[in-house]
Amino acid sequence: MKLARLISGDNYKGEKHYLRNQRNYELAKTIILFVIAIGLFVAGLIINKGSKANIFTIVAVLGCLPASKCLVELIMFIRYKTCNDELSDKIEEASVGLIQAYDRVFTSKEKTHPIDHLVINNNSLCCYTSAKKFSEADFQKHIGVYLKAENIKDTTIKVFTDDKKYLERISNMSSDNNTEKDKDILNVLLSISL
């Protein structure tokens, strides 16, 4: 377990099994923060002979705020599943040298768009989702807004729900076509996703 990841998991976004691993860190962080808050409350009771009217109670209540925030984040991570091992192994073989990310969840005001894996190549974004109901048009519109805000234009976005077609598509992509713009697209996608 990496202690720095308890503070922030942003450096690990896009890694294989990110959602599953981050869920475990969020669980540990939530438990630690609630234990600290409860411990402070109990310490205040002991020190003040059962009276709740003390500074420890105030600090314990304020300590519940970050603990509750972590609990909400934990619930978000529990809701979504990571890309399965068998498929991720096939993806690893097919996407050697390509700019890629695993386990991205994009949220808009209207919908949530879970993406198991994505590849960016030559200003083209190819995504795979195992979600039963997925609106590609809404996803394209949502991502397009953020790319346009970063002055990244003419990006084609294609979402696959069939893993075989997705594997075929990414295996035909050439890692020689990666551009600086592709890295910019990845940075935008990582910054706007869970």
Side-chain angles (χ1 to χ4, degrees):
M1 184 175 245
K2 299 175 184 173
L3 293 178
R5 192 163 176 176
L6 285 172
I7 297 167
S8 174
D10 288 347
N11 294 337
Y12 304 95
K13 280 186 171 184
E15 286 184 356
K16 192 174 181 181
H17 305 304
Y18 169 77
L19 290 175
R20 179 177 57 205
N21 295 336
Q22 194 61 29
R23 180 183 320 137
N24 296 335
Y25 282 100
E26 293 298 329
L27 176 61
K29 188 169 28 172
T30 302
I31 291 170
I32 290 168
L33 291 174
F34 274 116
V35 166
I36 290 171
I38 292 167
L40 285 170
F41 179 73
V42 170
L45 288 176
I46 292 170
I47 292 171
N48 292 298
K49 299 177 176 74
S51 172
K52 291 186 249 179
N54 61 65
I55 191 72
F56 289 99
T57 301
I58 295 169
V59 173
V61 169
L62 292 175
C64 286
L65 294 174
S68 298
K69 180 182 179 284
C70 287
L71 181 61
V72 170
E73 289 176 9
L74 174 64
I75 291 168
M76 288 298 292
F77 282 104
I78 288 173
R79 289 186 63 204
Y80 302 102
K81 61 181 178 157
T82 191
C83 186
N84 73 54
D85 290 332
E86 183 181 330
L87 179 59
S88 63
D89 290 341
K90 290 178 184 176
I91 287 172
E92 285 291 314
E93 291 175 22
S95 61
V96 174
L98 296 171
I99 296 173
Q100 60 184 316
Y102 284 92
D103 299 342
R104 303 291 73 225
V105 179
F106 300 91
T107 56
S108 67
K109 291 178 183 175
E110 298 83 27
K111 296 187 185 234
T112 300
H113 309 282
I115 298 290
D116 295 16
H117 186 262
L118 61 88
V119 170
I120 305 161
N121 184 260
N122 200 21
N123 207 30
S124 176
L125 171 63
C126 290
C127 306
Y128 169 73
T129 183
S130 59
K132 302 283 187 244
K133 296 179 180 178
F134 191 92
S135 173
E136 185 173 357
D138 288 340
F139 178 71
Q140 289 173 343
K141 181 180 170 188
H142 176 67
I143 297 301
V145 168
Y146 289 97
L147 293 176
K148 187 177 179 183
E150 293 295 324
N151 205 21
I152 300 172
K153 298 176 181 158
D154 302 324
T155 302
T156 58
I157 302 170
K158 176 67 178 152
V159 179
F160 293 85
T161 54
D162 181 352
D163 58 346
K164 290 176 180 67
K165 288 180 182 177
Y166 179 68
L167 288 168
E168 182 181 318
R169 173 68 179 112
I170 64 174
S171 63
N172 290 332
M173 292 178 147
S174 170
S175 61
D176 297 336
N177 293 339
N178 290 334
T179 65
E180 197 62 38
K181 196 175 193 181
D182 294 338
K183 293 176 185 171
D184 293 341
I185 293 170
L186 178 65
N187 289 334
V188 170
L189 296 177
L190 292 178
S191 69
I192 65 170
S193 59
L194 178 69

